[in-house]
Amino acid sequence: MSFPKHRGRRLRSTPAVRALAGETRLCAADFIHPIFVVEEASAAGPIASMPGVSRLTLQQLDAEIERILNLGIRSVLLFGIPVLKDATASSALSDRSIVAAAIERIRKATDRLAIITDVCLCSYTDHGHCGVIKKEKVDNDATIELLAKVALVHAQAGAHVVAPSAMMDGQVAAIRERLDHAGFIDTCILSYAVKYASSFYGPFREAADSKPSFGDRRGYQMAPTNAGEALNEARTDLEEGADIIMVKPALPYLDVIRRVRDTFPGAPLVAYQVSGEYSMIKAAAERGWLDERLIAMEALTAIKRAGADRIITYFAPAASKWLAEMP
Ligand code: PBG
């Protein structure tokens, strides 16, 4: 059918008709809200490179949880910032870790949230790498044993979902085995299956104090040049027992989100709109160069349209508010 019978503009004539014809719709339950929890009160406060995002103490968690529940958000992703950092990430392995305490606190406050925890070592190691170092390299097989221990600590504290982000081979299998062995058969694994070695993580490394002190993460995170490889990463993680898979970052990798979505239609797919994606919008909006609300909603819509079921985003509270205000 072509012009004049087909007139594309008919479906764009009023806001209500446009809503009728809309293919992609966001809602607050699509968003996963990242939270940074500090062990030491002096480390709490605003993160300079991420305006609107703060590092919170355990006490401050209660108000934050109430705030986001009122906005309709249903899940959080926890990151811990410990006092002690050492070569083997021992403060992540302790059952008194800051993340364990945060999980327990949230579980006491509500049963309406899915609690997801980031499982990695980079905020807990003195060198800032995601695993233990042997011969100047991150040792894969020693690291996955530690990641499994961290995941178990989180599960024991009451996490619903553990999310390994270290990009170590076999980390999902190691975690699944450890959890099952300890009886945590219902604890889900959200795997950071497709995680690129991206410069868009810059502001996060300030937030989580996790910048590597030497080298970079290109020996374990994926090269931005590769998309086919992403399908291998997603496949192996699903085979190892991942319940949910992730692509990260989001907006610069929409093609990857789409390919993973189409190749694995049965797996819930999460995309992570990372710190750099957030801070770029905030910075341009502060200068009056872009409209924060319109740009943020357009980016989130694009990520969902590309095939993400859920989006981890620092805009979660603001975007939920904007959605509630829409006519
Ligand atoms: C931990 C981790 C990182 C992010 C999430 N988990 C940092 C990294 O890999 O360097 C980045 C999140 C963001 O930039 O918002 N490994």
Side-chain angles (χ1 to χ4, degrees):
M1 219 186 10
S2 57
F3 181 78
K5 270 195 174 157
H6 174 78
R7 287 180 178 272
R9 290 184 56 185
R10 270 188 213 118
L11 290 176
R12 302 169 202 144
S13 58
T14 72
V17 171
R18 289 196 288 274
L20 182 70
E23 295 176 30
T24 304
R25 184 166 296 175
L26 291 166
C27 67
D30 289 336
F31 305 135
I32 298 168
H33 177 58
I35 298 181
F36 300 98
V37 195
V38 298
E39 199 167 0
E40 193 173 52
S42 63
I47 299 155
S49 56
M50 299 175 71
V53 181
S54 289
R55 311 208 285 190
L56 306 178
T57 62
L58 281 176
Q59 291 72 25
Q60 289 170 329
L61 266 185
D62 299 344
E64 180 71 349
I65 294 308
E66 200 183 317
R67 175 175 87 106
I68 61 159
L69 279 173
N70 287 335
L71 290 167
I73 293 168
R74 302 302 307 272
S75 52
V76 292
L77 172 62
L78 298 180
F79 294 97
I81 296 127
V83 173
L84 178 85
K85 294 173 188 267
D86 60 18
T88 54
S90 43
S91 46
L93 304 169
S94 153
D95 55 11
R96 299 308 322 141
S97 77
I98 178 61
V99 172
I103 296 163
E104 283 162 12
R105 186 137 187 150
I106 298 172
R107 289 291 295 232
K108 267 195 204 116
T110 183
D111 58 5
R112 290 168 58 216
L113 277 179
I115 304 173
I116 309 171
T117 60
D118 187 82
V119 174
C120 196
L121 305 184
C122 59
S123 297
Y124 303 86
T125 50
D126 49 13
H127 46 70
H129 276 286
C130 300
V132 285
I133 304 288
K134 280 195 190 149
K135 296 192 190 125
E136 282 153 49
K137 275 178 71 175
V138 175
D139 185 283
N140 190 89
D141 298 10
T143 298
I144 61 177
E145 292 311 312
L146 298 184
L147 294 170
K149 176 76 191 3
V150 175
L152 180 60
V153 165
H154 294 177
Q156 282 165 337
H160 302 97
V161 184
V162 292
S165 66
M167 286 298 279
M168 294 298 127
D169 295 326
Q171 61 183 8
V172 172
I175 290 172
R176 188 71 270 161
E177 196 183 302
R178 183 75 71 98
L179 292 178
D180 286 356
H181 188 74
F184 291 96
I185 56 169
D186 286 330
T187 306
C188 306
I189 299 178
L190 191 182
S191 160
Y192 285 67
V194 181
K195 179 172 177 180
Y196 286 91
S198 171
S199 299
F200 284 92
Y201 308 151
F204 172 95
R205 292 183 187 163
E206 180 199 324
D209 192 17
S210 64
K211 197 172 176 304
S213 61
F214 65 92
D216 54 42
R217 304 210 200 288
R218 284 183 287 187
Y220 39 104
Q221 299 178 346
M222 278 181 57
T225 49
N226 297 359
E229 188 184 344
L231 304 179
N232 278 345
E233 288 288 347
R235 181 178 294 107
T236 50
D237 281 12
L238 287 167
E239 283 168 2
E240 287 179 31
D243 303 285
I244 308 173
I245 52 178
M246 190 198 299
V247 173
K248 173 191 173 186
L251 202 65
Y253 296 87
L254 293 183
D255 59 322
V256 178
I257 296 174
R258 169 51 54 195
R259 286 178 70 170
V260 171
R261 166 78 301 155
D262 289 347
T263 310
F264 305 102
L269 178 60
V270 170
Y272 197 147
Q273 183 190 47
V274 300
S275 56
E277 297 179 69
Y278 172 83
S279 298
M280 288 196 305
I281 295 175
K282 295 295 277 192
E286 273 178 14
R287 292 188 157 208
W289 289 353
L290 293 174
D291 181 305
E292 178 183 346
R293 171 177 172 157
L294 295 177
I295 293 285
M297 294 310 278
E298 187 172 335
L300 292 167
T301 301
I303 294 164
K304 190 161 183 196
R305 190 194 62 232
D309 298 307
R310 298 290 178 273
I311 306 169
I312 303 168
T313 172
Y314 303 97
F315 283 115
S320 302
K321 215 177 285 166
W322 294 328
L323 286 168
E325 284 163 10
M326 274 188 184

